């Protein structure tokens, strides 16, 4: 709704006709769905790389489950966009995320993706679900939220188990 996007405070938005307001809200909502798709797509790439970098069968299994969940999230979110519709272009953040996943080492990825990004995802998906006007999408978002919490929690556990090297710390900071 307009309040979620802060549009209720915009005099320009308030001056629009009901049809114009609806078009703006649809565009804003579509943008949120597309952003979620890019994040879930990055999650699939992350899980694939981490499965290859895993140091145990259990860790490889964990990332196999993550890959499945991220794929499911992508598919669920995509179902709320028109079939065959083109997605908007990835933004600078999405490019940075793709580069990090491609170039980052195991410990950097666990910290940045699982602890920071998945932690942010908990707040983000919770906010989206809380203000969602579509009950089916709200249920999907709440399911994703539960998975995000598990992904984040396992990242916290993995970070505690390993000491971050000075090189990894520097790369993460940069």
């Amino acid at each position: 709704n307009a309040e979620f996007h802060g549009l209720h405070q915009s005099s320009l938005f308030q001056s629009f006709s009901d049809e114009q307001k609806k078009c703006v809200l649809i565009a804003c909502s579509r943008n949120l769905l597309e952003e979620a798709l890019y994040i879930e797509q990055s999650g699939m790439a992350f899980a694939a790389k981490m499965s290859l970098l895993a140091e145990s069968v259990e860790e490889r299994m964990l990332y196999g489950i993550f890959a499945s969940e991220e794929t499911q999230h992508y598919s669920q979110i995509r179902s709320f966009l028109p079939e065959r519709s083109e997605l908007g272009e990835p933004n600078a953040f999405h490019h940075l995320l793709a580069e990090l996943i491609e170039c980052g080492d195991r410990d950097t990825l666990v910290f940045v993706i699982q602890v920071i990004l998945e932690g942010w995802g908990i707040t983000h998906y919770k906010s989206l679900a809380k203000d969602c006007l579509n009950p089916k999408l709200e249920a999907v978002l709440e399911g994703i939220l539960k998975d995000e919490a598990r992904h984040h929690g396992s990242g916290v556990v993995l970070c505690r188990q390993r000491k971050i090297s000075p090189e990894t710390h520097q790369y993460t900071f940069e």
Side-chain angles (χ1 to χ4, degrees):
N1 59 32
E3 289 77 22
F4 179 84
H5 298 286
L7 294 171
H8 66 293
Q9 299 173 351
S10 165
S11 58
L12 177 62
F13 180 79
Q14 294 305 320
S15 72
F16 288 168
S17 69
D18 287 345
E19 187 61 31
Q20 289 172 315
K21 288 178 182 178
K22 180 180 175 184
C23 287
V24 168
L25 288 172
I26 287 172
C28 289
S29 296
R30 180 182 173 93
N31 184 273
L32 286 171
L33 289 175
E34 288 182 3
E35 178 183 59
L37 284 177
Y38 282 117
I39 297 297
E40 298 304 333
Q41 195 172 23
S42 293
M44 289 185 280
F46 165 76
K49 181 169 181 176
M50 294 304 286
S51 182
L52 293 172
L53 296 175
E55 296 178 348
S56 67
V57 171
E58 292 79 14
E59 196 174 332
R60 186 163 286 133
M61 290 168 59
L62 175 71
Y63 288 113
I65 292 168
F66 284 11
S68 172
E69 290 172 347
E70 299 291 357
T71 303
Q72 183 178 15
H73 300 165
Y74 182 92
S75 177
Q76 290 172 323
I77 293 167
R78 185 71 169 110
S79 74
F80 288 93
L81 291 168
E83 200 173 322
R84 298 187 189 140
S85 65
E86 293 293 320
L87 298 179
E89 290 296 313
N91 64 32
F93 174 70
H94 303 132
H95 289 295
L96 175 65
L97 190 54
E99 181 184 336
L100 173 65
I101 291 168
E102 185 176 326
C103 301
D105 65 37
R106 179 186 175 278
D107 292 338
T108 298
L109 292 174
V110 168
F111 181 71
V112 173
I113 304 297
Q114 283 187 257
V115 176
I116 295 174
L117 189 60
E118 298 275 10
W120 168 82
I122 293 169
T123 303
H124 183 62
Y125 280 116
K126 186 175 186 177
S127 171
L128 290 176
K130 178 180 151 280
D131 289 322
C132 186
L133 301 177
N134 179 316
K136 289 181 181 178
L137 179 56
E138 179 183 4
V140 165
L141 295 170
E142 287 174 351
I144 292 172
L145 177 60
K146 291 175 185 175
D147 293 342
E148 296 290 319
R150 279 195 315 277
H151 300 177
H152 170 74
S154 63
V156 170
V157 169
L158 288 170
C159 277
R160 285 185 183 150
Q161 288 178 348
R162 298 173 58 98
K163 186 169 173 81
I164 295 178
S165 71
E167 296 81 21
T168 296
H169 185 270
Q170 183 61 35
Y171 181 81
T172 303
F173 180 76
E174 290 173 8

